[in-house]
Amino acid sequence: MLKLQSENGTVAADISRGAVQLLREYTGRGPTKARTVISKDTVAIILGDTLTRGESRLVAAGDQAHVHQTRNILQELMRDDFVELVEKLSGRTVEAFFSDNPRRRRIEITHCEEPFAR
């Protein structure tokens, strides 16, 4: 059973920090907001203010579709790294991974094969 406390605080906080670092490695800039919610057999990572300056300018110029398409490609590239992050820090095997980029957010949801202990 997963202990929801870690050496650095909580597993959720560790996952949030790891997700911010991972996004920074891929895009050159990490999100300014991050929150992870662990519930039963699900880990949801909500990242806010994720766009780079260039992406923000493209959105302001009306080219949201280009930014969304590029972010979707990045999501596919990052998928295995996000799964590895959640598995390593949670101690659970990820069965399914879902990701989306609505506006200036990024949402990662993983479904784990075994429920978390409370």
Side-chain angles (χ1 to χ4, degrees), residues 68-86:
H68 195 262
Q69 180 183 18
T70 301
R71 283 291 173 139
N72 284 342
I73 293 167
L74 274 173
Q75 279 175 296
E76 286 301 312
L77 289 173
M78 297 173 64
R79 182 187 201 291
D80 291 343
D81 290 330
F82 266 105
V83 168
E84 181 181 341
L85 172 75
V86 171

Side-chain angles (χ1 to χ4, degrees), residues 1-117:
M1 295 216 172
L2 173 68
K3 207 173 112 185
L4 294 178
Q5 294 291 355
S6 72
E7 292 177 16
N8 300 322
T10 67
V11 172
D14 292 346
I15 291 172
S16 291
R17 279 190 290 275
V20 167
Q21 291 169 355
L22 187 60
L23 200 56
R24 183 180 305 123
E25 287 173 20
Y26 274 86
T27 67
R29 178 189 180 278
T32 60
K33 300 172 184 143
R35 179 171 55 105
T36 298
V37 179
I38 298 174
S39 173
K40 193 174 176 183
D41 56 2
T42 304
V43 176
I45 307 166
I46 301 98
L47 303 168
D49 188 24
T50 61
L51 299 181
T52 65
R53 281 187 187 161
E55 290 170 330
S56 292
R57 290 187 182 200
L58 285 169
V59 169
D63 204 355
Q64 172 89 22
H66 177 78
V67 172
H68 195 262
Q69 180 183 18
T70 301
R71 283 291 173 139
N72 284 342
I73 293 167
L74 274 173
Q75 279 175 296
E76 286 301 312
L77 289 173
M78 297 173 64
R79 182 187 201 291
D80 291 343
D81 290 330
F82 266 105
V83 168
E84 181 181 341
L85 172 75
V86 171
E87 288 183 339
K88 177 182 169 192
L89 295 175
S90 73
R92 297 290 184 266
T93 301
V94 171
E95 286 186 330
F97 174 82
F98 307 95
S99 184
D100 197 12
N101 287 297
R103 306 253 173 193
R104 289 178 158 75
R105 287 185 192 81
R106 182 180 178 102
I107 301 168
E108 314 293 343
I109 298 175
T110 60
H111 181 269
C112 300
E113 70 178 17
E114 185 178 333
F116 295 96

